[in-house]
Amino acid sequence: MRARWIRAALVGLTTLALVGLSGCGGDSPDTSATSTAETTASPSPTSAKVTGTVTVFAAASLTESFEKIGKEFEAANPGSKVTFNFAGSSALATQINQGAPADVFASAAPANMKTVTDEGNADGTPTTFVKNQLVIAVPKNNPAGVTGLSDLTKPDVKVALCAEQVPCGAAAQKALSEANVKITPVTLEQDVKSALSKVKLGEVDAALVYRTDVKSAASDVDGVEFPESADAINDYPIVVLKDAPNKAGGQAFIDYVLSRKGESALTQAGFQAP
């Protein structure tokens, strides 16, 4: 009887010890749950903002709109800096193919973009993000009385055109051919902003430039629409470059250009949807 009582007491003590151990073991899941929660709360790499310098080579006609987009992009991505090289698309394509470091190329025409893609210097397929159309830029109040392309053939009307290898020049030649009009310009410029500046400075009576350029210089020039411009609308493609120093930043910039905010900035500047 005494032996049976001792055995029962030992079983009870063993049971109490097991319960105590079980209670101690229960602390481990709580600690593990806390650790898991802390890990989940940590930011993932995919949510990190873009940092560093993003170098964008862009057609001169994109100057005002891309500068605005660049500032908005920097504000949305603290620690980032967008630098631009604005020039004629043909000159930019040559620079890229010769090894100039850049993350993004935005051309004013597919032909100039093709010279980059043909050399294997684009990363992926270019995306057309806007279109642009020509107008005749004239000084305020249009002193020469220009109303259409035919007026540009008058001997006393001085005209500036872009060089034919530049997108605005190629578009101008196409429009003039459609209208069966031949113009002898007093100057051929290497980008559209240079052609526009000739009008602003009063050095010429007219220049064939984009609607966006006239809109950006509305305090200095007027725009004369002409129907033949509908036959020479330029598509603007954009792409990340193969050897981009900041490829992630370049893609993020393009994504911003294609976003609603980017589209809004471009539309306000006078560009057309692709």
Side-chain angles (χ1 to χ4, degrees):
M1 185 74 179
R2 179 180 175 82
R4 187 180 300 171
W5 181 87
I6 292 172
R7 283 198 300 271
L10 289 172
V11 169
L13 289 171
T14 301
T15 302
L16 288 171
L18 290 172
V19 170
L21 287 172
S22 176
C24 292
D27 291 339
S28 295
D30 293 341
T31 303
S32 175
T34 302
S35 176
T36 302
E38 289 172 352
T39 302
T40 304
S42 300
S44 65
T46 56
S47 65
K49 297 292 185 181
V50 173
T51 59
T53 300
V54 181
T55 304
V56 179
F57 280 29
S61 51
L62 290 164
T63 300
E64 292 81 12
S65 53
F66 263 29
E67 284 179 342
K68 179 180 180 181
I69 288 173
K71 290 177 181 177
E72 292 177 352
F73 179 86
E74 290 173 352
N77 295 274
S80 68
K81 175 67 177 177
V82 184
T83 62
F84 293 105
N85 177 18
F86 294 112
S89 297
S90 57
L92 295 173
T94 298
Q95 292 172 27
I96 291 167
N97 287 340
Q98 290 178 347
D103 300 305
V104 174
F105 178 38
S107 173
N112 303 105
M113 178 62 77
K114 188 173 185 298
T115 64
V116 171
T117 58
D118 284 352
E119 289 293 319
N121 289 323
D123 183 19
T125 304
T127 300
T128 298
F129 64 103
V130 287
K131 296 176 181 287
N132 214 349
Q133 194 163 345
L134 295 177
V135 296
I136 303 170
V138 296
K140 276 293 180 184
N141 301 317
N142 193 6
V146 174
T147 60
L149 290 182
S150 60
D151 291 327
L152 304 184
T153 63
K154 296 176 181 178
D156 58 338
V157 175
K158 293 183 289 185
V159 180
L161 294 180
C162 294
E164 196 165 350
Q165 70 269 22
V166 181
C168 63
Q173 291 303 321
K174 186 174 182 180
L176 292 168
S177 177
E178 290 293 331
N180 196 27
V181 171
K182 187 174 181 179
I183 295 174
T184 303
V186 297
T187 181
L188 291 172
E189 300 298 322
Q190 293 304 309
D191 64 69
V192 71
K193 293 299 185 186
S194 298
L196 181 66
S197 70
K198 297 294 183 181
V199 180
K200 292 168 67 175
L201 294 171
E203 297 179 8
V204 297
D205 300 300
L208 288 180
V209 301
Y210 297 117
R211 282 178 176 169
T212 53
D213 298 299
V214 168
K215 188 167 184 177
S216 70
S219 59
D220 300 308
V221 303
D222 289 328
V224 177
E225 298 279 349
F226 59 99
E228 296 85 358
S229 66
D231 299 313
I233 296 175
N234 277 12
D235 292 338
Y236 282 53
I238 191 169
V239 75
V240 173
L241 296 171
K242 184 186 72 175
D243 296 327
N246 187 355
K247 192 166 289 187
Q251 185 58 59
F253 180 82
I254 290 177
D255 291 342
Y256 196 93
V257 168
L258 298 175
S259 72
R260 288 185 179 180
K261 288 185 177 179
E263 181 183 354
S264 175
L266 291 161
T267 300
Q268 289 174 17
F271 288 98
Q272 302 170 29

